Amino acid sequence: SQKIEQNSEALNIQEGKTATLTCNYTNYSPAYLQWYRQDPGRGPVFLLLIRENEKEKRKERLKVTFDTTLKQSLFHITASQPADSATYLCALYNFNKFYFGSGTKLNVKP
Amino acid sequence: DGGITQSPKYLFRKEGQNVTLSCEQNLNHDAMYWYRQDPGQGLRLIYYSQIVNDFQKGDIAEGYSVSREKKESFPLTVTSAQKNPTAFYLCASSAGNSGGHQPQHFGDGTRLSIL
Protein backbone atom coordinates (compact mmCIF):
# COMPACT_ATOMS: atom_id res chain seq x y z
CA SER A 1 0.00 0.00 0.00
CA GLN A 2 1.03 3.59 -0.47
CA LYS A 3 2.60 5.23 2.54
CA ILE A 4 4.12 8.58 3.46
CA GLU A 5 6.20 8.68 6.63
CA GLN A 6 7.29 11.65 8.63
CA ASN A 7 8.95 11.43 12.02
CA SER A 8 6.13 11.45 14.56
CA GLU A 9 8.46 12.52 17.35
CA ALA A 10 8.82 16.25 17.82
CA LEU A 11 12.09 17.82 16.76
CA ASN A 12 13.54 20.13 19.42
CA ILE A 13 16.35 22.45 18.42
CA GLN A 14 18.02 25.60 19.65
CA GLU A 15 17.43 28.95 18.01
CA GLY A 16 19.93 29.66 15.26
CA LYS A 17 20.52 26.01 14.39
CA THR A 18 19.40 24.26 11.21
CA ALA A 19 16.29 22.09 11.45
CA THR A 20 16.08 19.09 9.12
CA LEU A 21 12.80 17.25 8.64
CA THR A 22 12.38 14.02 6.67
CA CYS A 23 9.63 12.73 4.42
CA ASN A 24 9.89 9.14 3.15
CA TYR A 25 7.42 7.51 0.83
CA THR A 26 6.78 4.06 -0.62
CA ASN A 27 4.86 2.82 -3.63
CA TYR A 28 4.53 6.26 -5.19
CA SER A 29 6.14 7.82 -8.21
CA PRO A 30 5.21 11.44 -7.59
CA ALA A 31 5.90 14.11 -10.13
CA TYR A 32 5.70 16.78 -7.44
CA LEU A 33 6.26 17.04 -3.70
CA GLN A 34 5.03 19.91 -1.56
CA TRP A 35 5.77 21.09 1.97
CA TYR A 36 3.28 22.87 4.21
CA ARG A 37 3.35 24.49 7.63
CA GLN A 38 0.45 24.01 10.05
CA ASP A 39 -0.08 25.94 13.27
CA PRO A 40 -2.42 24.60 16.01
CA GLY A 41 -6.08 24.98 15.10
CA ARG A 42 -5.28 26.40 11.66
CA GLY A 43 -5.19 25.08 8.12
CA PRO A 44 -1.87 24.18 6.45
CA VAL A 45 -0.02 26.91 4.59
CA PHE A 46 1.95 26.12 1.43
CA LEU A 47 5.71 26.66 1.66
CA LEU A 48 7.57 25.03 -1.22
CA LEU A 49 7.09 22.72 -4.19
CA ILE A 50 9.77 20.59 -5.83
CA ARG A 51 9.50 18.65 -9.07
CA GLU A 52 10.85 15.15 -9.63
CA ASN A 53 13.54 16.44 -11.98
CA GLU A 54 14.75 19.00 -9.43
CA LYS A 55 17.25 17.98 -6.82
CA GLU A 56 16.99 21.06 -4.64
CA LYS A 57 14.80 24.13 -4.19
CA ARG A 58 15.42 27.17 -2.00
CA LYS A 59 13.30 30.00 -0.67
CA GLU A 60 14.85 32.40 1.80
CA ARG A 61 15.82 30.26 4.85
CA LEU A 62 14.07 27.18 3.50
CA LYS A 63 15.60 24.40 1.39
CA VAL A 64 14.00 21.24 0.07
CA THR A 65 15.69 18.28 -1.55
CA PHE A 66 14.02 15.47 -3.49
CA ASP A 67 15.71 12.12 -4.07
CA THR A 68 13.45 9.91 -6.19
CA THR A 69 15.89 6.99 -5.91
CA LEU A 70 15.80 7.01 -2.12
CA LYS A 71 12.11 8.04 -2.20
CA GLN A 72 12.88 10.80 0.26
CA SER A 73 12.58 14.54 0.67
CA LEU A 74 14.46 16.60 3.23
CA PHE A 75 13.21 19.99 4.43
CA HIS A 76 15.73 22.35 6.01
CA ILE A 77 15.20 25.58 7.93
CA THR A 78 18.43 27.45 8.45
CA ALA A 79 18.99 29.99 11.24
CA SER A 80 15.83 28.72 12.91
CA GLN A 81 13.71 31.05 15.04
CA PRO A 82 11.09 30.39 17.74
CA ALA A 83 8.50 31.65 15.22
CA ASP A 84 9.35 28.62 13.06
CA SER A 85 7.81 26.35 15.70
CA ALA A 86 4.93 24.51 14.01
CA THR A 87 4.03 21.18 12.42
CA TYR A 88 5.42 20.62 8.94
CA LEU A 89 3.61 18.37 6.46
CA CYS A 90 4.82 16.88 3.22
CA ALA A 91 2.40 16.08 0.42
CA LEU A 92 2.70 14.02 -2.75
CA TYR A 93 0.60 14.32 -5.87
CA ASN A 94 -0.37 11.08 -7.58
CA PHE A 95 -3.28 10.25 -9.89
CA ASN A 96 -5.19 13.52 -9.39
CA LYS A 97 -4.98 13.40 -5.60
CA PHE A 98 -2.75 14.79 -2.88
CA TYR A 99 -1.49 12.45 -0.16
CA PHE A 100 -0.25 13.97 3.09
CA GLY A 101 2.12 12.74 5.76
CA SER A 102 1.11 13.06 9.41
CA GLY A 103 3.62 15.85 9.94
CA THR A 104 6.56 16.53 12.24
CA LYS A 105 6.28 19.05 15.03
CA LEU A 106 9.23 21.42 15.27
CA ASN A 107 10.01 23.24 18.52
CA VAL A 108 12.63 25.97 18.32
CA LYS A 109 13.82 27.03 21.75
CA PRO A 110 15.21 30.53 22.37
CA ASP B 1 -8.02 39.59 0.57
CA GLY B 2 -8.56 36.37 -1.36
CA GLY B 3 -8.89 33.17 0.55
CA ILE B 4 -11.01 30.29 1.77
CA THR B 5 -13.63 30.68 4.44
CA GLN B 6 -14.90 27.72 6.42
CA SER B 7 -17.82 27.94 8.79
CA PRO B 8 -18.65 27.30 11.49
CA LYS B 9 -15.36 26.98 13.35
CA TYR B 10 -16.91 24.57 15.86
CA LEU B 11 -19.89 22.29 15.25
CA PHE B 12 -21.67 19.76 17.39
CA ARG B 13 -23.72 16.89 16.02
CA LYS B 14 -26.38 14.88 17.74
CA GLU B 15 -26.86 11.18 17.07
CA GLY B 16 -28.75 10.55 13.84
CA GLN B 17 -28.31 14.11 12.63
CA ASN B 18 -26.86 15.34 9.36
CA VAL B 19 -24.72 18.46 9.50
CA THR B 20 -23.33 20.62 6.71
CA LEU B 21 -19.94 22.33 6.74
CA SER B 22 -19.55 25.41 4.59
CA CYS B 23 -16.57 26.21 2.36
CA GLU B 24 -16.37 29.34 0.21
CA GLN B 25 -13.42 30.59 -1.84
CA ASN B 26 -12.88 33.86 -3.72
CA LEU B 27 -9.63 32.82 -5.39
CA ASN B 28 -11.36 31.84 -8.64
CA HIS B 29 -9.90 28.35 -8.30
CA ASP B 30 -11.32 25.46 -10.30
CA ALA B 31 -10.41 22.62 -7.94
CA MET B 32 -11.69 22.20 -4.39
CA TYR B 33 -11.06 19.51 -1.80
CA TRP B 34 -12.30 18.26 1.56
CA TYR B 35 -9.95 16.58 4.01
CA ARG B 36 -10.35 15.06 7.42
CA GLN B 37 -7.55 15.35 10.01
CA ASP B 38 -7.42 13.16 13.12
CA PRO B 39 -4.80 13.54 15.87
CA GLY B 40 -1.46 12.09 14.83
CA GLN B 41 -2.67 11.32 11.33
CA GLY B 42 -2.17 12.93 7.98
CA LEU B 43 -4.91 14.66 6.06
CA ARG B 44 -7.21 12.14 4.40
CA LEU B 45 -9.12 13.08 1.27
CA ILE B 46 -12.92 12.84 1.50
CA TYR B 47 -14.10 14.35 -1.80
CA TYR B 48 -12.69 16.59 -4.48
CA SER B 49 -14.06 18.58 -7.37
CA GLN B 50 -12.14 19.74 -10.42
CA ILE B 51 -14.99 21.66 -12.02
CA VAL B 52 -18.49 22.92 -11.27
CA ASN B 53 -21.19 20.23 -11.19
CA ASP B 54 -18.64 17.44 -10.98
CA PHE B 55 -16.93 15.76 -8.02
CA GLN B 56 -15.16 12.52 -7.19
CA LYS B 57 -14.83 10.38 -4.09
CA GLY B 58 -11.60 10.45 -2.19
CA ASP B 59 -10.22 7.73 0.05
CA ILE B 60 -12.79 8.01 2.86
CA ALA B 61 -16.03 9.17 1.22
CA GLU B 62 -18.39 6.82 3.04
CA GLY B 63 -20.84 8.72 5.24
CA TYR B 64 -20.19 12.04 3.51
CA SER B 65 -21.76 13.91 0.60
CA VAL B 66 -20.89 17.08 -1.33
CA SER B 67 -22.23 19.37 -4.02
CA ARG B 68 -20.55 21.82 -6.37
CA GLU B 69 -23.26 24.01 -7.84
CA LYS B 70 -21.12 27.14 -7.87
CA LYS B 71 -17.41 27.58 -8.52
CA GLU B 72 -16.84 29.33 -5.23
CA SER B 73 -18.75 26.94 -2.97
CA PHE B 74 -18.16 23.30 -1.99
CA PRO B 75 -20.26 22.31 1.06
CA LEU B 76 -19.71 19.01 2.85
CA THR B 77 -22.53 17.12 4.56
CA VAL B 78 -21.63 14.69 7.30
CA THR B 79 -24.48 12.20 7.37
CA SER B 80 -25.71 10.00 10.19
CA ALA B 81 -24.08 7.09 8.33
CA GLN B 82 -20.67 8.43 9.35
CA LYS B 83 -20.21 6.64 12.65
CA ASN B 84 -17.04 8.39 13.78
CA PRO B 85 -17.40 11.99 12.61
CA THR B 86 -15.38 13.67 15.37
CA ALA B 87 -12.44 15.29 13.59
CA PHE B 88 -10.97 18.49 12.21
CA TYR B 89 -12.29 19.13 8.68
CA LEU B 90 -10.26 21.15 6.20
CA CYS B 91 -11.34 22.58 2.88
CA ALA B 92 -8.79 23.51 0.22
CA SER B 93 -8.67 24.87 -3.31
CA SER B 94 -6.11 25.03 -6.09
CA ALA B 95 -5.87 26.72 -9.47
CA GLY B 96 -6.41 24.73 -12.63
CA ASN B 97 -7.98 21.31 -12.86
CA SER B 98 -5.97 19.93 -9.96
CA GLY B 99 -2.38 19.15 -10.87
CA GLY B 100 0.40 18.64 -8.39
CA HIS B 101 2.29 21.72 -9.53
CA GLN B 102 -0.35 23.96 -8.00
CA PRO B 103 -0.25 24.69 -4.26
CA GLN B 104 -3.32 24.05 -2.20
CA HIS B 105 -4.87 26.92 -0.25
CA PHE B 106 -6.58 25.85 2.96
CA GLY B 107 -9.27 27.30 5.15
CA ASP B 108 -8.90 27.32 8.93
CA GLY B 109 -11.05 24.27 9.42
CA THR B 110 -14.19 23.19 11.22
CA ARG B 111 -13.92 21.08 14.34
CA LEU B 112 -16.84 18.66 14.56
CA SER B 113 -17.76 16.90 17.78
CA ILE B 114 -20.51 14.53 18.85
CA LEU B 115 -22.91 15.53 21.61
Side-chain angles (χ1 to χ4, degrees), chain B residues 7-96:
Chain B
S7 62
K9 192 167 181 63
Y10 300 95
L11 187 59
F12 298 91
R13 196 191 86 169
K14 296 179 181 178
E15 293 289 340
Q17 186 181 45
N18 293 352
V19 292
T20 297
L21 285 59
S22 171
C23 178
E24 303 279 331
Q25 54 103 355
N26 60 4
L27 299 166
N28 199 33
H29 284 170
D30 289 310
M32 296 188 75
Y33 310 81
W34 273 105
Y35 293 92
R36 168 179 173 143
Q37 187 174 34
D38 294 282
Q41 295 193 36
L43 279 65
R44 291 184 290 167
L45 184 64
I46 305 173
Y47 269 97
Y48 64 106
S49 168
Q50 298 177 347
I51 197 168
V52 175
N53 292 322
D54 188 42
F55 49 83
Q56 287 78 40
K57 292 182 179 180
D59 299 316
I60 56 165
E62 186 175 349
Y64 301 97
S65 66
V66 294
S67 63
R68 186 86 187 275
E69 297 176 0
K70 298 186 295 183
K71 187 175 185 178
E72 58 270 23
S73 179
F74 191 40
L76 173 74
T77 295
V78 184
T79 74
S80 57
Q82 172 49 244
K83 297 307 178 188
N84 184 24
T86 298
F88 188 48
Y89 290 87
L90 288 160
C91 179
S93 71
S94 64

Side-chain angles (χ1 to χ4, degrees), chain A residues 34-54:
Chain A
Q34 301 183 1
W35 282 88
Y36 290 79
R37 168 183 172 142
Q38 186 175 24
D39 291 289
R42 305 293 299 274
V45 175
F46 172 77
L47 296 174
L48 276 173
L49 175 148
I50 188 165
R51 292 172 168 78
E52 61 178 339
N53 59 353
E54 296 176 315

Side-chain angles (χ1 to χ4, degrees), chain A residues 2-107:
Chain A
Q2 298 166 327
K3 189 185 289 186
I4 302 173
E5 291 183 336
Q6 295 186 256
N7 195 340
S8 59
E9 288 185 17
L11 177 62
N12 298 306
I13 65 168
Q14 206 66 34
E15 182 177 9
K17 301 294 186 183
T18 296
T20 299
L21 307 176
T22 304
C23 176
N24 295 303
Y25 59 93
T26 58
N27 297 328
Y28 288 102
S29 296
Y32 306 94
L33 189 146
Q34 301 183 1
W35 282 88
Y36 290 79
R37 168 183 172 142
Q38 186 175 24
D39 291 289
R42 305 293 299 274
V45 175
F46 172 77
L47 296 174
L48 276 173
L49 175 148
I50 188 165
R51 292 172 168 78
E52 61 178 339
N53 59 353
E54 296 176 315
K55 297 297 183 187
E56 182 179 297
K57 196 81 168 281
R58 292 175 185 262
K59 179 183 176 183
E60 297 172 350
R61 294 185 297 111
L62 309 180
K63 184 179 84 171
V64 173
T65 62
F66 193 12
D67 189 326
T68 55
T69 300
L70 290 178
K71 295 186 180 293
Q72 181 181 79
S73 175
L74 299 178
F75 177 79
H76 307 272
I77 304 176
T78 58
S80 60
Q81 305 166 359
D84 295 325
S85 298
T87 296
Y88 292 86
L89 309 171
C90 66
L92 305 180
Y93 182 77
N94 207 32
F95 296 117
N96 292 331
K97 300 176 188 177
F98 286 91
Y99 296 89
F100 284 81
S102 57
T104 298
K105 186 172 183 182
L106 173 65
N107 296 313

